[in-house]
Amino acid sequence: MRIVKNTLLSFFLSLVILAQGQNKAPENWFNLDQKENRVLGVSTEKAYKYLSKKKSVPVIVGILDSGVDEDHEDLKNVMWVNQGEIAGNGIDDDKNGYIDDIYGWNFIGGIDSNVKEDSYELTRVYKRLNAKFENMVEETMTEEEKAEFRNFLMIKAEYLQKSTQAKALFLNLSKAKKRYEDIENTIGKGENITVEDLMKYKAGTKIEQDIIAKLIDYLNKGVTYKELKADLMGAYNHFNKEANYGYNLDFDPRAIVGDNYDNCADKNYGNNDVTGTDASHGTHVAGIVAAQRNNGMGIDGVANNVKIMAVRCVPDGDERDKDVANAIRYAVDNGAKVINMSFGKGFSWDKNCVDEAIRYAASKDVLLVHGAGNDSKNVDSSANFPSPYSGANNQRALNWIEVGASSWEKGVDGLGSFSNYGKLKVDVFAPGVSIYSTVPGSKYESYDGTSMASSCTAGVAALIRSYFP
């Protein structure tokens, strides 16, 4: 999300749908071909023509994400099913340490509920280091502690800056939301407000006059009030989560999981609810990889002989290293040969824990595909976790592909403006703008992000592995 000038209403009013007036993405464009369709897709359909006389073998793709709707009409026939388990009997039939893991596993769930929101890793790292250094005097520190203390001061500054900004924006958006609701209630037409309604409205204050003038201006440009309100609520919900969960030092939902969080080797926790509290993101990702092809509904995923293994490890907030590491190991141990990881963060709690899991996947010949992130940053010089680099020599894991997002458009518009980049650390760019795919409830929506680019790449990898194992 772009941060714009922070006044009471200019923030909201600047969040008008940016795609207004832009060219619309061609249908199913990520599967199209540059030469045949004049679109920079991944040439899926052309590939299948080439492979028409060649046999394929099934490939399991692990979707490490927020959850997957296993009952979606376009996914239910391509879901991985653990043949070693008997559904619902409460027994770990296949002795893999997870009870009734039919479609995968949920590492952010407990006995009777699931984690929804979680804090940011910046918040958690700041809290841990603040507790360590708050009563220490620099003069008494060892050289190693002094180095860590200097790093802590940078983390503290970043946390205070971001948390203060989030709280201020949430306060302003709360006021804006209240004023717009007051205008709606007075007009009495809900979100079906027209220019005529606004022209008749009698503003009681200077702020209301400014709001009405801005609204009339936007509606005259073809944007509906409903669209404006949706943008306002999107911004309000975003900063509500940042202020009250992401940067909240006192918020910690880990008790729901009930594990020994300090022990990375502790892996037998969670539950078998792979859908979780909001599977929109993970379901969208899964559809790009492998939505059932040629079934006359929805979309066609990239890979045609794939089973989707759902491993839930990403909350609404930053994923935790322990969960990521155990999710990788679970997918590897249960047969995944490609793992998609459409998530990331700027700090790491226990990098060694994840590094060991990455090396474990490499030892089992499993490819990891990771989205580069959506901060418009150069990740050659900015931290981005999880990372394939580890050890004293900062050696790169060979079983890793880092993916940025591209668009269907040409020239300077050919890359997603939000996408992270890097000559050294980003390997490829793949379709990640206006990608139409599956969402829960057998529905479909268009999303932007390196998450979509990563899953498109994971689909290509699975296709290749299926035909050329």
Side-chain angles (χ1 to χ4, degrees):
M1 179 174 294
R2 293 176 176 83
I3 305 300
V4 296
K5 186 177 179 182
N6 179 21
T7 63
L8 183 62
L9 296 172
S10 66
F11 175 80
F12 151 56
L13 290 171
S14 297
L15 290 172
V16 182
I17 300 171
L18 298 176
Q20 290 287 331
Q22 290 184 350
N23 295 326
K24 186 178 179 182
E27 185 178 351
N28 201 38
W29 79 267
F30 66 94
N31 281 321
L32 300 183
D33 176 69
Q34 181 179 8
K35 185 176 180 180
E36 293 185 2
N37 311 111
R38 300 183 182 277
V39 177
L40 283 171
V42 299
S43 305
T44 312
E45 312 309 331
K46 188 175 183 179
Y48 284 119
K49 290 178 183 177
Y50 174 79
L51 296 167
S52 61
K53 296 182 179 180
K54 189 172 181 64
K55 292 184 178 180
S56 65
V57 298
V59 172
I60 299 171
V61 177
I63 303 295
L64 276 55
D65 216 292
S66 65
V68 176
D69 177 6
E70 70 269 22
D71 294 321
H72 193 288
E73 64 179 12
D74 224 358
L75 294 175
K76 62 184 179 181
N77 293 330
V78 297
M79 293 299 297
W80 172 77
V81 177
N82 186 352
Q83 300 297 329
E85 283 291 308
I86 299 172
N89 69 351
I91 299 171
D92 180 14
D93 299 290
D94 62 357
K95 304 294 190 297
N96 70 347
Y98 303 96
I99 296 173
D100 291 341
D101 56 323
I102 304 300
Y103 301 106
W105 194 250
N106 171 20
F107 283 100
I108 50 174
I111 295 174
D112 53 8
S113 61
N114 293 316
V115 173
K116 184 179 181 182
E117 294 91 1
D118 207 340
S119 56
Y120 295 139
E121 196 74 285
L122 170 61
T123 305
R124 300 191 288 256
V125 170
Y126 167 68
K127 184 176 181 179
R128 177 172 67 177
L129 292 176
N130 188 55
K132 177 176 181 177
F133 288 111
E134 62 180 345
N135 295 319
M136 291 182 69
V137 179
E138 188 171 1
E139 287 74 16
T140 64
M141 296 178 189
T142 66
E143 290 304 315
E144 185 178 348
E145 287 172 336
K146 287 179 181 179
E148 188 179 17
F149 179 69
R150 288 191 291 270
N151 184 52
F152 161 66
L153 291 179
M154 290 189 291
I155 289 171
K156 178 180 180 179
E158 182 172 347
Y159 169 77
L160 293 176
Q161 184 267 324
K162 288 185 174 180
S163 61
T164 301
Q165 176 180 267
K167 290 173 184 176
L169 286 168
F170 176 60
L171 177 62
N172 287 344
L173 285 161
S174 297
K175 292 177 181 178
K177 176 174 173 287
K178 176 66 166 59
R179 288 195 169 98
Y180 277 79
E181 288 172 347
D182 289 343
I183 291 171
E184 282 181 21
N185 292 336
T186 301
I187 293 175
K189 293 178 63 175
E191 295 181 352
N192 300 312
I193 293 175
T194 65
V195 172
E196 290 73 21
D197 296 324
L198 295 169
M199 295 287 287
K200 295 176 184 177
Y201 186 86
K202 295 181 179 179
T205 66
K206 178 64 168 62
I207 291 178
E208 274 197 342
Q209 291 174 8
D210 292 342
I211 293 173
I212 296 299
K214 284 284 188 180
L215 286 173
I216 290 172
D217 183 45
Y218 279 112
L219 266 62
N220 280 331
K221 291 177 179 177
V223 183
T224 67
Y225 178 84
K226 187 174 183 179
E227 289 170 336
L228 288 169
K229 183 65 180 296
D231 278 349
L232 168 63
M233 291 309 301
Y236 172 85
N237 291 332
H238 174 79
F239 287 105
N240 176 33
K241 286 183 282 191
E242 287 212 335
N244 294 306
Y245 302 108
Y247 294 117
N248 186 347
L249 291 169
D250 297 321
F251 180 68
D252 185 359
R254 199 64 188 187
I256 291 172
V257 180
D259 64 321
N260 179 0
Y261 184 58
D262 293 325
N263 180 9
C264 182
D266 170 32
K267 63 179 182 177
N268 299 120
Y269 60 92
N271 63 41
N272 69 343
D273 180 5
V274 298
T275 303
T277 56
D278 183 359
S280 299
H281 188 273
T283 303
H284 198 273
V285 163
I288 296 168
V289 175
Q292 188 173 353
R293 295 180 59 80
N294 304 316
N295 62 350
M297 62 178 67
I299 67 161
D300 288 343
V302 175
N304 70 340
N305 194 1
V306 160
K307 295 297 181 183
I308 292 297
M309 178 191 293
V311 192
R312 185 170 183 262
C313 60
V314 183
D316 192 353
D318 279 346
E319 65 283 354
R320 296 183 181 233
D321 291 340
K322 178 183 177 181
D323 300 330
V324 171
N326 283 321
I328 291 172
R329 289 179 177 275
Y330 175 90
V332 171
D333 288 342
N334 288 280
K337 301 308 290 184
V338 177
I339 293 176
N340 186 76
M341 302 190 296
S342 290
F343 51 80
K345 55 191 178 182
F347 293 86
S348 180
W349 180 274
D350 188 354
K351 187 175 184 302
N352 288 335
C353 183
V354 181
D355 290 344
E356 290 175 2
I358 293 170
R359 287 191 288 269
Y360 180 70
S363 73
K364 302 295 183 179
D365 191 28
V366 177
L367 176 69
L368 305 177
V369 186
H370 181 245
N374 306 320
D375 303 307
S376 304
K377 289 182 179 179
N378 183 348
V379 292
D380 286 351
S381 55
S382 300
N384 185 37
F385 301 100
S387 165
Y389 298 90
S390 65
N393 298 323
N394 210 26
Q395 187 172 356
R396 193 183 199 276
L398 298 179
N399 61 323
W400 186 284
I401 299 178
E402 189 80 3
V403 188
S406 60
S407 170
W408 76 94
E409 297 188 281
K410 296 178 181 179
V412 294
D413 297 319
L415 298 179
S417 60
F418 54 82
S419 179
N420 287 352
Y421 55 91
K423 289 184 178 180
L424 299 176
K425 294 185 178 180
V426 176
D427 300 304
V428 298
F429 279 75
V433 178
S434 296
I435 305 298
Y436 189 68
S437 184
T438 49
V439 293
S442 292
K443 297 178 181 179
Y444 305 82
E445 292 182 14
S446 289
Y447 288 177
D448 298 340
T450 58
S451 293
M452 291 62 251
S454 176
S455 47
C456 192
T457 306
V460 172
L463 186 159
I464 294 170
R465 192 147 211 171
S466 177
Y467 283 89
F468 304 94

